[in-house]
Amino acid sequence: MSPERDLADSASLPEGALKAFPTPNDGPKVLLTRQQGQVHALAPNCPHYGAPLEKGKVVDGRLICPWHHACFKVENGHLCEPPALDDLPTYAVREANGRILVQVPASPPASTDDPTATPTAEVGGEPSAPVGAPVDTRTFVIVGGGAAGEFAAQALRREGFAGRVVLVSADEKLPSDRTKLSKAYLAGKAKAETMPLRQPEFYAQQKIELLTNTRVTGLDLASQEIELAGQPPLHYDQVLLAPGGTPNRLPKLPGHDLAGVLPLRTQADADHLLAATKDAKQLIIIGSSFIGMEAASSLISEGRQVTVIAQEKMPFERILGPEIGAMFRKMHEEKGVKFETEAEVTALLGEGGRITGVQLKTGQLLPAEVVVLGVGVRPATDFLAQAFALEKDGGLAVDAFLQAAENVYAAGDIARFPLAATGQPTRIEHWRVAQQHGQTAARNMLGQQVKFTAAPFFWTQQYGKSLRYAGHAERWDEIIYQGDVAKQDFLAFYVLENRIIAAAGMSRDADMIYIAERLGKNLLPTPAAVRAGVDWAGSVG
């Protein structure tokens, strides 16, 4: 049993408080909260990226991370929502004689989100059927080793599935944290060993058969088989299709196949880009997408010129609006990034098979040693063309349960699903949404019949500044601003037909937690109420 430590005076933890307390003798910190009179003790940092959870909020009995909105049940630390992968450690706690006493181990266990940590059984232990129960002979196949696929695999085990789980990935590497690629990894702040979401031992322990470097070539709905390149077909009882996206390579553009013209989607892509830019002085990024702009912020350095070529006047104009776009552009320009806006690339020029320049429609020629393609992705669904009538953009239509056909589900970038708030069929390319899709699909593969109702949420980080966005707005009638966009301290509310459908914020993490919660429940106030001022902390939970 861990020693019991006297952490705090009971009076220092009022109802609803969320505070981190150090343990005596320079011991580890413990997060304490009092909810409905009951004191709970938890680890102080989110197991995802280490965010201080005392800056988070408790809503409806769930502790929500301030950075990326991972959720944990206060009563037991159980993971409710990604992007964290594991439960939050909790500690035995009691009150006596006006003091709060906690049993804290001398060395609390490392979060198993740490890819270098020794795996534990937190996900649900090794899968096994109850004593005397029949052996589960079913095979569940997951196509795609990205956010949706990896989370679905572990969700199946958390939900108690004891049958065969096969995770098929075209990538030669382990499923990895792709959100780091254009940010910390390119900037040299994240090492290769931190990129995998899980280590091989985790998949072995959980009895998840991980097939890397394995390409799926077809799906036979009648025989319930997945066709694999160079291998026998794989039979499934249930299948989840989550192959993700394929970077647009501009195949009709002259010079698109020159050496030094690089996409950014996988860790291998990032490694190629880092090698190519090691000594490069002239770097061009085509496209002002989030990937493109994050890459610009990571790759700009003294002695290297980075130029972004964009069709729009302002970055993110179609997603966040021109005012926020202008703020991001100014942020980049202050760091030395140059922009060619409202521009069209007509050719990529080279010598000896290697890129040397980019030609614009105006005739302007920009020198380049490396070109990064930041022009979005398309659903990686070519292998499904014979099995389904795909959407025009290559997406696959699913219902509210993420089901595409009998025994077939889809998740992540390829899934066109009905947005809970409006019912509008929508395809969203967000990391956390893909993970949430994976969790919902896994439950439905097990027959739970759970609708996907979460409000979409994403984040971007550039030059250490983070923007968080909740909801989904492909168009809007107006944007209501609170705060100062130019100072990166604001909330922005996207209004369509007198209804708020999305919100973005910088330096307003607590407010964004409450706003995202209300979006998920379809309980946001009217635009008029928002203009008048809303106490977000008093509006939820």
Side-chain angles (χ1 to χ4, degrees), residues 242-436:
T246 300
N248 291 321
R249 299 296 298 263
L250 305 179
K252 296 182 180 179
L253 190 67
H256 73 276
D257 54 352
L258 288 167
V261 179
L262 302 171
L264 179 56
R265 181 69 177 180
T266 66
Q267 188 176 340
D269 291 338
D271 289 338
H272 293 152
L273 182 54
L274 285 170
T277 57
K278 183 178 180 180
D279 299 314
K281 304 299 182 185
Q282 297 282 350
L283 173 65
I284 286 181
I285 297 173
I286 299 178
S288 58
S289 64
F290 285 105
I291 293 295
M293 296 295 285
E294 289 169 359
S297 71
S298 297
L299 294 171
I300 186 71
S301 64
E302 186 175 352
R304 177 186 295 159
Q305 179 58 58
V306 175
T307 302
V308 176
I309 301 174
Q311 292 182 334
E312 300 85 6
K313 187 175 183 179
M314 294 295 171
F316 317 133
E317 186 172 355
R318 298 175 185 174
I319 301 171
L320 300 174
E323 189 168 349
I324 297 175
M327 176 270 296
F328 273 106
R329 176 172 173 171
K330 184 172 184 291
M331 185 192 302
H332 280 264
E333 288 176 332
E334 288 174 347
K335 298 293 184 179
V337 176
K338 294 183 178 180
F339 286 83
E340 293 290 339
T341 59
E342 300 178 283
E344 181 181 341
V345 176
T346 55
L348 302 176
L349 308 178
E351 293 181 6
R354 173 164 290 277
I355 187 74
T356 58
V358 177
Q359 184 173 314
L360 303 183
K361 190 175 183 178
T362 59
Q364 183 179 2
L365 180 61
L366 303 174
E369 296 166 77
V370 177
V371 169
V372 181
L373 299 177
V375 288
V377 301
R378 57 183 176 81
T381 53
D382 289 351
F383 72 98
L384 297 174
Q386 299 301 314
F388 292 101
L390 298 173
E391 301 287 312
K392 186 176 181 180
D393 65 354
L396 177 60
V398 297
D399 62 16
F401 304 98
L402 304 181
Q403 189 165 14
E406 185 177 4
N407 304 318
V408 180
Y409 296 82
D413 292 0
I414 76 166
R416 184 171 295 278
F417 65 100
L419 199 62
T422 63
Q424 179 69 27
T426 307
R427 193 173 65 79
I428 294 178
E429 298 168 357
H430 300 338
W431 180 262
R432 184 171 181 267
V433 170
Q435 290 180 306
Q436 290 172 307

Side-chain angles (χ1 to χ4, degrees), residues 400-532:
F401 304 98
L402 304 181
Q403 189 165 14
E406 185 177 4
N407 304 318
V408 180
Y409 296 82
D413 292 0
I414 76 166
R416 184 171 295 278
F417 65 100
L419 199 62
T422 63
Q424 179 69 27
T426 307
R427 193 173 65 79
I428 294 178
E429 298 168 357
H430 300 338
W431 180 262
R432 184 171 181 267
V433 170
Q435 290 180 306
Q436 290 172 307
H437 273 184
Q439 178 169 260
T440 299
R443 290 171 175 168
N444 289 331
M445 291 165 78
L446 294 169
Q448 295 183 20
Q449 287 292 288
V450 179
K451 289 185 177 181
F452 183 78
T453 59
F457 174 85
F458 75 86
W459 68 92
T460 183
Q461 185 178 58
Q462 298 168 43
Y463 306 110
K465 301 290 185 178
S466 294
L467 176 139
R468 316 199 195 286
Y469 180 103
H472 184 70
E474 295 183 5
R475 60 187 180 91
W476 54 83
D477 299 323
E478 70 167 316
I479 304 175
I480 301 172
Y481 293 101
Q482 294 178 350
D484 193 330
V485 173
K487 293 181 179 179
Q488 294 123 34
D489 182 5
F490 67 90
L491 290 171
F493 299 90
Y494 299 82
V495 180
L496 179 64
E497 298 175 354
N498 200 38
R499 183 166 167 267
I500 295 172
I501 58 174
M506 295 183 76
S507 305
R508 303 291 184 96
D509 290 351
D511 287 342
M512 284 302 297
I513 287 175
Y514 294 124
I515 291 166
E517 283 295 301
R518 295 207 68 158
L519 270 167
K521 298 174 181 177
N522 202 19
L523 291 175
L524 273 182
T526 65
V530 169
R531 291 188 192 94

Side-chain angles (χ1 to χ4, degrees), residues 64-126:
I64 304 176
C65 172
W67 290 359
H68 308 123
H69 294 198
C71 300
F72 310 90
K73 289 183 179 179
V74 169
E75 63 179 344
N76 53 25
H78 286 181
L79 177 68
C80 305
E81 297 283 354
L85 301 180
D86 290 299
D87 297 338
L88 186 67
T90 58
Y91 312 114
V93 58
R94 68 185 180 95
E95 290 186 271
N97 302 318
R99 303 296 298 178
I100 299 175
L101 309 173
V102 183
Q103 290 182 17
V104 186
S107 299
S111 161
T112 50
D113 269 28
D114 176 0
T116 63
T118 301
T120 73
E122 286 185 352
V123 166
E126 293 191 16

